[in-house]
Amino acid sequence: MTRIVAISGSRREGSTTRAALRVALDAAGDAGAETDLIDLGAVDLPLYHPDEDAQGDSEALTRRVREADGVLAGTPVYRGSYSSTFKNFHDFCGSDEYANTAVGLLATAGGGSYGGTLEHLRSTFRNVHAWTVPDEVGIERASSKVATGGDPHDHPRITDDDLRRRTERLGRVVLEHAERMRG
């Protein structure tokens, strides 16, 4: 079975990034993928140190990425780029984790600007030999469009129909490309 893992680069309890990723991940699951979510706000991951092999949960987390056929990478927009939380995890990962991996990108913005964030993500993923799919999702004013729910087990939803369809499509497209790359 094709495995898709989503990585949420948000530490916020009511994270629109995590909720939107769950919408994409659910679509991949409905299309036949085995799914997994890495919530970087809920793991033990100290600042990356190049002289130390494993730190905190880094070994288990990077193994989950390495074993995935596809990745949905999501981050909130901070200062026109991705979050330091995502960057820190990304520093633990390299071409061993992302070789022959289809990656879909998602960015959530409090305001209206997410283009630079998606470009920064694309560039850093190319640097570790990942294959970013052409589809990507940017969500402006995310708190008004993504319902996170109060309970972690609540089903997240995107209230804008077009945006919800694009987010679900991102999950399916990552699955499709991951399956092609496996075969």
Side-chain angles (χ1 to χ4, degrees), residues 88-112:
N88 185 53
F89 178 66
H90 203 40
D91 285 344
F92 281 95
C93 298
S95 57
D96 288 343
E97 282 69 38
Y98 290 112
N100 301 313
T101 303
V103 177
L105 307 176
L106 182 141
T108 57

Side-chain angles (χ1 to χ4, degrees), residues 32-173:
E34 177 184 338
T35 63
D36 183 17
L37 172 68
I38 296 174
D39 179 0
L40 294 177
V43 298
D44 172 25
L45 195 65
L47 285 175
Y48 175 75
H49 192 299
D51 292 334
E52 296 181 26
D53 289 334
Q55 300 167 271
D57 296 333
S58 67
E59 195 170 318
L61 294 171
T62 56
R63 183 179 62 252
R64 286 164 67 184
V65 172
R66 193 170 41 256
E67 291 173 353
D69 302 296
V71 170
L72 291 161
T75 181
V77 174
Y78 289 144
R79 311 298 181 258
S81 191
Y82 46 82
S83 70
S84 61
T85 301
F86 188 86
K87 170 68 168 132
N88 185 53
F89 178 66
H90 203 40
D91 285 344
F92 281 95
C93 298
S95 57
D96 288 343
E97 282 69 38
Y98 290 112
N100 301 313
T101 303
V103 177
L105 307 176
L106 182 141
T108 57
S113 180
Y114 54 77
T117 302
L118 291 170
E119 181 56 38
H120 294 164
L121 286 171
R122 221 176 0 265
S123 176
T124 60
F125 274 103
R126 276 195 305 261
N127 191 266
V128 290
H129 305 222
W131 190 81
T132 55
V133 302
D135 295 62
E136 58 190 20
V137 174
I139 304 174
E140 59 186 23
R141 292 178 283 291
S143 63
S144 69
K145 298 175 183 172
V146 180
T148 60
D151 184 299
H153 302 291
D154 284 349
H155 192 72
R157 59 185 179 32
I158 297 175
T159 58
D160 178 279
D161 288 339
D162 180 57
L163 186 57
R164 178 186 42 76
R165 282 190 292 272
R166 288 190 312 121
T167 304
E168 290 170 344
R169 177 174 163 74
L170 180 66
R172 290 189 303 270
V173 166

